[in-house]
Every structure is written in structure tokens, then in C-alpha cells.
Amino acid sequence: MPDFRSALAAGQVILFDGAMGTEIYQRGVFVNACFDDLCRSSPDLIRKIHEAYRSAGAHVLETNSFGANRLKLKAHGLDSEVRQLNETAARLAREVAGDELFVAGSIGPLGVRMEPFGPTSREEARHIFAEQASGLVAGGADLLSVETFSDLAELIEAVSGCQSVCDLPILAMMTVSEGGRSSYGESAVSMAKAMSEFGVDAIGINCSVGPAIMVDVVQEMASVTDLPLAAIANAGLPRDLDDRKMYMASPDYMASYARKLIKAGAQIVGGCCGTSPDHTAEMAGQIRAVAPRAATVANSPPAQPVVEVQPEPTPPVPLSEKSEWGQRLAAGLPVTSVEILPPRGSDADKMVEACRQLAAAGVHAVNVPDGARAMMRMGVIAASLLIEREAGIETVIHYCCRDRNLLGMMSDLLGSQALGLRNLLLITGDPPRMGPYPDATAVFDIDSIGLTNLVAGLNRGLDPSGHAIGGQTSFVIGVGVNPSDVDMNRELERWHWKVEAGAEFAVTQPVFDVQSLLDFLDKIDDEGTRIPIVAGIWPLTSLRNAEFLANEVPGIEIPEPIMARMRAAQERGAEFARAEGCAIAREMVTAVRDRVQGVQVSAPFGRVAYALDVFEGLDV
């Protein structure tokens, strides 16, 4: 059998096998198991799947290694066995393929966001992909299939990692939605152009959608590249039947579209999620007499060429023009805000009335927490809109990463822009186990640093892939900071990243240790990374409140002298304790106001009077 590059050069239509994960699940393996370890723990199961696809007529068997990278294996305690697992996966597929079929080493995404939207650097990602590829090469893979990527930047690092350890043929594939774009907003056309210049042997799309949508996408890709194209589709979109995801496209349907995909320009076809050996067998029977459409790029332009122009980023709206809050920050004027929790139910009257009191008292903004301590409350965007429209005071929206994936965040942020909400405080968020619903799932698709990068991009009119969104947002970007963090080096590192990403102001955790805040300010002043700082102030209401904050709320440190004062006051009675807590809060404001640009005072239990008492008699 010729090598894979020769087969491509000869124009041979190449049929990949079908779904590995679906077949594993159908054989009774629970989804929480490490599928990539089954080559070692249950080799006969994987071997039978490979044999079924060989019998069905596949030309290429993909290794059972899609998630066998260091980061994904770490969740199963297998991160030290990357090379062994990948080598085993390739050897097992090789045993079944023999000398007649190709073995494709399957490499999927890392499962975490890469910079600038996540903590994984490009260099680290490249090394992780190289590590996986080296194991597949050692096991006897004929080519590497780098597949199901949404982020073009991550795909580039995956290809680079593979190229750094071998010269095997590389098939690079992205996954797109029904609109023909990835979840990052990357089009198949831009991917095709980028990969055409990157030394891969074939490019394409796989997973996520069924074959019908892929026909148009393949035609678009064929108009901008003369590389061999791949289209490996799901068996339609999944439906929920009896609490199970079922793919409904029949083998006949998939086979008929395999022919259409080849006529559209695909030289490589196959099946992804939901496909089975039966689907592969039908496709094998249908594609024998079909030849892929000849490439048109080098000769003449297609009848309807696809043109994508990469936009220049739009300069961000000046801070002073974004909002009244931003105007004061830009002018160096002091700002004041009070934190008000959204209601637990749908009745917002008390919240709105409290905010009216704050507006009447001259407070500049209301800070609205987003599911603080993982408690279920009214959505922060709806609550903020009600406050601004009915109380006549600006809001600073605490927007967290816990509950939304990248797409959800994009939708929320674009909606917030349309609604006129401008001021954001971007935070990672408390994990659900801290709240009353510990079994709720957290998303944490990106962290606060990634979210800062995302919003800064939107302010320049660009989506996560650097494509124009048809206008720009004008958000004032705030971030959180903890000057009392026990790991100050880590906090400073994250601070630098946030400022570099585009943060325009910061709000601290509640200040009880003044010296820690002053030391932090000295450090960032010396480094030249200072942006407007708003000091968080919490008026303690009782000894119990102080003990709760000190012992059960991450990030808050209350020095022993303050705890001693609260204990002494509590012995005299509840009113004395509240008065002492207010006095401590005023002392904090007095001690820091010359070094910060403003204060954010919390209103414990939603009692605005507690917050206003802190401001009384102070020049802030």
C-alpha cells in the first residue's frame, strides 16, 4: 500500500472510520471512564471496534487517543503516562490495520483555554501536543489527525507540536457550527487559508454538525486552497431520547452525503459522533466510483469566490466617554459605590428602593454581585438594568465566569452593550460547592484574565478569533484584586496579566489590613502597573459576621486586633458591635483614601443604612 502522501497525490478518495467514543459507550462503558486508557485496560474491546471498521471498508483506522494529552489525563491521575498510552493506542490500531490500512494518530484539543483566554501558554500547549504525538509516532502511526479544534491558534500550536517531533503527514481539522464558524467565530475559510501556509498535508472539518451543512463549507474551503480537503461529519445532530443522546442519520443518508461531499471537493470522508461500522460500510459502497472535484484555486476563480478581509482593530472608545463612572476614573476624581445583592426572587422593589436612597445620597454607582458565594439570585444583567432605569444610578456589574461558557459570555456581553450597561467588574467566581447547591456544575470555560482579554477585544470590535463583530462595545473594564493574598507573588503575577489584558480599574477585597493594601500599592507603583484602585470596605455588623468572613469567605483576612475589638464590643451588646464595625470601616476609609481613587462599601444583608453610615462625616 502506498504511503498516505502518495495516496493523496494520486487523488485517491480516502475513507476514515467512524466514531470511537460512540462505539465504546454502546458497549457499556460509562462516560466518566477514561476512554483513552481502554487501549491498555480493555484492549480486546478497542481491537473489536477497529476490526469492525476494517471489515466495513475503512481505509484509515484512527487511534483511541483523542483525549490522551497531559492535561486531560491529569483528571484520571494518568498525566505521567502520556507517551505509554498513546504508543499503546497506535500499536493496537496497527495490529488491526496491518500493512493494508493507514493508522491515523488522533489528537484532540487540550480541554483548557489557551492564552489570552486561559492560563496555558502557546509554548506549553505546543510541548503538550508534541509529547502526545511522539507516543503515536513510536506506536506506528502513518499520519497524525489533529481534529475537532475550535480555536485556530490552538490548532496552529498542535500542528507545530507534531511537526517538532516527526515528519509524518498531518491532517488538520476544525469543528464548526451550523453557521459555518467555530465557537470562537473562526470561519472554515480563514482556517483553510492559515493551514495552507503551515505545511500540513490536508485540512478539513469534523464533528459538531451533520453532513448537509458540511457541503457548503467544503465548497467554500475549496475556493481558497488546493490542499486535499476532509469532511468527517456527525450522524446528524443528537436528539434526547430516554435521557440518552441519539444520532438519527441513517447509514444510507450518510452514504448519500459522502458522495455529495466528494463532488463538492472533499478527498477524505468518514464519520464522527454517532456513526457506526454500518455507516462506514454504506459509505464505502457509495464512494468507490466518485472522484473529488478538481481544485480551482490555481487556475481560475470560482463563480462565487469567498473573500474574507481581516479587519483592523477599532481603537477603543476613550474611558472618559464610556460612562459617568469611566469619566470620573479618567479625570482622577474620587468614586463611591455600594454593593447591593440582587433579590432571591423576582420582586425587585426593595432593591430598587435601596438604590434610590443611594442615588439621593450622592453615591456614584451600585455594585451588583453575580451569584456571590454561589447563591441563586436574580440575574445580574436584569437586576442592573432595573436599577439604572428605575433608580437613576449607574451600576458596576460583577460578571463571573462560573456559569457560562465562552458563547454564553459573548451573548451576555453583546446584550449588555445593547441595553446600555457599561461598567463591568470581571471575576472568576466562587465554585458551586461554596453555596447551597454543591451538586450544581460550574463551567469556568475561561477565568477572569481570559474574560478581560475577551472584553478588551470586544471593545476593539473583534470576537475571540479576531474577526469583526459589526461594531464595538464600550465597556469600562474592572477587575478584582486581593492585596492580602497569602501568595502575593501569584497575586501580583495575575495583576500584571489583568493590566496587560486591558483592565481600567480594580476593586479590592474588603480591606481590614491597611498595611497589606499600602504594601501592594507601593509594589504596583514601583512597577508602573498602577490603574485606578477602588478599596473594598465592609462594615462588620457583629462578631459572628466577622468570624464568618474571616473563616469561611476566601480571600478575606481580618487581623486579630480587629477581631478583638469586635469581641469586646459584642460583649456590650449587638448595637455596640454594629457601631464598632461601622467605626472600623470608617477608619479603613480614612487610612486609605489618599492612596486610592475610591471606595466600594458593602451593604450587609441589603441594609443600605449600614453603608451610608460609613460615608457619614467622611470626605469621600
Side-chain angles (χ1 to χ4, degrees):
M1 185 175 189
D3 65 26
F4 192 75
R5 287 193 177 104
S6 298
L8 290 176
Q12 177 183 336
V13 174
I14 299 173
L15 178 62
F16 269 55
D17 57 11
M20 175 61 72
T22 303
E23 289 300 298
I24 290 173
Y25 179 70
Q26 294 284 2
R27 286 162 168 75
V29 179
F30 291 116
V31 292
N32 60 349
C34 180
F35 281 17
D36 303 292
D37 190 35
L38 294 173
C39 294
R40 186 173 58 179
S41 62
S42 301
D44 287 342
L45 183 149
I46 304 302
R47 186 180 291 108
K48 288 178 181 178
I49 295 173
H50 286 320
E51 289 171 347
Y53 283 120
R54 175 177 177 132
S55 298
H59 304 138
V60 181
L61 301 182
E62 280 206 81
T63 59
N64 176 41
S65 58
F66 177 79
N69 65 65
R70 178 171 294 275
L71 296 182
K72 285 187 175 179
L73 290 175
K74 186 175 182 180
H76 303 280
L78 299 172
D79 49 311
S80 64
E81 302 179 51
V82 174
R83 183 181 174 91
Q84 180 185 354
L85 288 175
N86 281 279
E87 186 173 343
T88 301
R91 290 192 186 283
L92 192 56
R94 179 85 276 157
E95 289 177 17
V96 178
D99 295 329
E100 296 79 30
L101 306 185
F102 298 117
V103 171
S106 174
I107 297 177
L110 297 177
V112 298
R113 299 294 180 188
M114 214 174 60
E115 62 180 350
F117 303 112
T120 306
S121 71
R122 289 173 179 263
E123 182 178 2
E124 181 185 7
R126 196 180 316 129
H127 173 75
I128 292 169
F129 287 122
E131 180 183 35
Q132 182 177 6
S134 65
L136 293 168
V137 172
D142 298 300
L143 67 143
L144 298 175
S145 178
V146 183
E147 57 194 34
T148 324
F149 283 73
S150 296
D151 182 3
L152 179 56
E154 186 183 4
L155 178 61
I156 288 172
E157 297 309 325
V159 170
S160 296
C162 293
Q163 291 173 333
S164 71
V165 296
C166 71
D167 61 355
L168 289 183
I170 296 174
L171 166 61
M173 294 188 286
M174 288 191 70
T175 183
V176 298
S177 64
E178 293 182 52
R181 290 182 178 269
S182 76
S183 60
Y184 270 67
E186 197 72 62
S187 72
V189 168
S190 61
M191 176 267 188
K193 290 179 177 179
M195 287 292 103
S196 294
E197 301 174 0
F198 220 79
V200 299
D201 297 85
I203 58 176
I205 50 175
N206 77 300
C207 202
S208 289
V209 295
I213 295 169
M214 285 191 175
V215 172
D216 291 338
V217 178
V218 167
Q219 289 176 333
E220 291 179 354
M221 294 175 74
S223 72
V224 297
T225 183
D226 55 5
L227 280 176
L229 298 178
I232 299 180
N234 287 349
L237 297 176
R239 299 182 186 179
D240 288 315
L241 292 176
D242 296 328
D243 296 324
R244 296 178 66 188
K245 297 289 185 185
M246 301 294 290
Y247 292 84
M248 308 304 291
S250 68
D252 287 342
Y253 179 85
M254 291 291 289
S256 68
Y257 264 97
R259 292 175 62 91
K260 294 176 183 177
L261 286 166
I262 295 168
K263 289 180 179 179
Q267 187 176 346
I268 301 169
V269 292
C272 204
C273 300
T275 58
S276 67
D278 289 340
H279 292 85
T280 302
E282 286 294 326
M283 285 189 276
Q286 287 287 321
I287 67 175
R288 291 190 181 98
V290 186
R293 189 185 79 179
T296 60
V297 176
N299 301 316
S300 59
Q304 294 181 326
V306 178
V307 179
E308 278 208 352
V309 179
Q310 286 295 96
E312 289 294 325
T314 304
V317 174
L319 178 59
S320 60
E321 298 176 16
K322 294 179 179 179
S323 67
E324 293 181 12
W325 179 263
Q327 187 177 41
R328 294 188 68 87
L329 291 175
L333 299 173
V335 293
T336 56
S337 65
V338 172
E339 182 178 286
I340 297 290
L341 290 170
R344 292 184 183 275
S346 60
D347 186 350
D349 289 347
K350 290 183 179 179
M351 177 190 70
V352 170
E353 179 55 35
C355 294
R356 290 193 181 111
Q357 296 177 42
L358 296 176
V363 174
H364 299 123
V366 176
N367 284 71
V368 189
D370 185 13
R373 294 186 292 283
M375 299 289 287
M376 184 177 66
R377 292 183 179 275
M378 179 182 288
V380 66
I381 294 174
S384 298
L385 184 64
L386 288 171
I387 290 169
E388 294 206 2
R389 291 188 176 178
E390 298 188 22
I393 184 172
E394 278 195 348
T395 58
V396 177
I397 300 174
H398 293 209
Y399 190 77
C400 82
C401 306
R402 177 190 56 238
D403 306 315
R404 312 159 181 94
N405 64 15
L406 191 68
L407 290 174
M409 291 179 188
M410 286 280 292
S411 298
D412 279 355
L413 292 167
L414 294 176
S416 297
Q417 172 72 20
L419 293 171
L421 303 172
R422 294 291 181 265
N423 308 312
L424 300 175
L425 182 66
L426 306 176
I427 56 178
T428 299
D430 299 318
R433 64 177 178 273
M434 291 181 58
Y437 305 99
D439 294 330
T441 56
V443 180
F444 293 126
D445 209 5
I446 56 178
D447 65 4
S448 58
I449 298 168
L451 184 53
T452 303
N453 277 294
L454 175 65
V455 177
L458 294 176
N459 277 354
R460 296 191 300 273
L462 303 176
D463 70 10
S465 290
H467 297 112
I469 59 173
Q472 67 186 128
T473 59
S474 52
F475 293 118
V476 180
I477 304 175
V479 295
V481 65
N482 183 9
S484 299
D485 196 286
V486 293
D487 188 352
M488 185 48 59
N489 288 334
R490 175 64 173 166
E491 187 68 9
L492 282 168
E493 184 179 40
R494 290 181 62 81
W495 170 261
H496 299 153
W497 288 337
K498 290 175 183 179
V499 172
E500 182 181 347
E504 295 170 302
F505 75 98
V507 178
T508 75
Q509 287 277 27
V511 176
F512 294 103
D513 184 350
V514 173
Q515 193 57 51
S516 291
L517 174 60
L518 298 181
D519 290 344
F520 176 81
L521 295 176
D522 287 340
K523 286 186 175 70
I524 62 175
D525 284 342
D526 291 342
E527 296 169 348
T529 57
R530 180 70 173 265
I531 59 175
I533 303 288
V534 178
I537 303 294
W538 185 289
L540 299 169
T541 58
S542 64
L543 174 61
R544 181 180 178 182
N545 180 224
E547 290 174 337
F548 171 75
L549 292 175
N551 293 284
E552 299 190 39
V553 179
I556 295 182
E557 298 288 332
I558 302 181
E560 176 53 31
I562 289 180
M563 294 298 297
R565 288 175 61 180
M566 291 302 297
R567 279 192 290 269
Q570 191 72 49
E571 289 176 359
R572 299 176 63 193
E575 285 304 309
F576 288 96
R578 192 181 84 78
E580 187 68 10
C582 184
I584 291 169
R586 288 178 181 171
E587 292 170 15
M588 298 297 110
V589 174
T590 301
V592 304
R593 62 184 173 186
D594 292 337
R595 295 291 306 276
V596 298
Q597 194 163 338
V599 293
Q600 172 196 289
V601 180
S602 296
F605 315 114
R607 297 176 184 175
V608 170
Y610 288 5
L612 293 179
D613 283 349
V614 175
F615 291 121
E616 187 175 347
L618 296 176
D619 183 19
V620 291

